[in-house]
Amino acid sequence: MTENPPPPPAPPQWGYVQPAPGAPPVFAAPPVGYGAPHPSAEPPAAAPATLGASALGVALLAVVGATLLSTITGFAAAEGAMRHAIGVSPEGLENLTDTQLLALLSPVRTLVLWAEIGFWAGTVLGIWALIQGIVAIATRRGRGQGIAAVVIAALGPLAYGVAVGIAVTLGVATGASG
């Protein structure tokens, strides 16, 4: 009676396969469907989009609100400062000391303060919207709105600078001509 030798051990499903003595190492391919979800697994539930929507709202508030506040008050401050400086000749403006130049802004200091509040509020809200938009994109909680928030928050300083620059220039021109 001949005994049957024991069957060789089964190779692993994937990874390193023990080669025969003297043979080079062999790597087996992963099994079919490796990494794919189990057929009975349910797709993950969609996360609420409230994070992206709130990031978009904060970005719009930062850009539109801060730009409007600083544009309106910047125009009025520039116009008021120029009206206060009407009696000073252009050559006289060049010879003013720093204290005298600051004195030109004294009648409009409240307007200058509101323009600065608009700048800092827009900065803080814009950074908040940028961070919150990135988190919304990364966590897929309002991805489209998060992308819009990031774009708006990133372009906000450009829009702010252009709008306030134009407003102050127009304020200086209006104050000088009046």
Side-chain angles (χ1 to χ4, degrees), residues 53-65 122 125-126 128-130 145 148-154 156:
S54 65
L56 181 58
V58 171
L60 289 171
L61 178 65
V63 174
V64 175
L125 291 174
W128 175 11
L130 190 63
Q145 294 147 330
V150 167
V151 170
I152 290 170

Side-chain angles (χ1 to χ4, degrees), residues 72-178:
I72 292 168
T73 57
F75 175 85
E79 181 183 24
M82 287 308 295
R83 287 182 191 263
H84 185 66
I86 286 290
V88 182
S89 68
E91 293 81 23
L93 282 175
E94 294 173 2
N95 298 327
L96 293 177
T97 65
D98 290 341
T99 306
Q100 291 169 327
L101 284 172
L102 287 176
L104 291 177
L105 292 176
S106 182
V108 293
R109 66 180 171 265
T110 305
L111 293 169
V112 172
L113 176 65
W114 278 107
E116 187 173 350
I117 288 171
F119 170 80
W120 287 111
T123 300
V124 170
L125 291 174
I127 292 171
W128 175 11
L130 190 63
I131 292 169
Q132 191 171 351
I134 291 170
V135 171
I137 294 167
T139 60
R140 296 179 184 261
R141 295 181 346 200
R143 186 174 231 179
Q145 294 147 330
I147 292 170
V150 167
V151 170
I152 290 170
L155 294 178
L158 179 65
Y160 177 93
V162 169
V164 172
I166 291 170
V168 169
T169 303
L170 290 175
V172 167
T174 303
S177 67

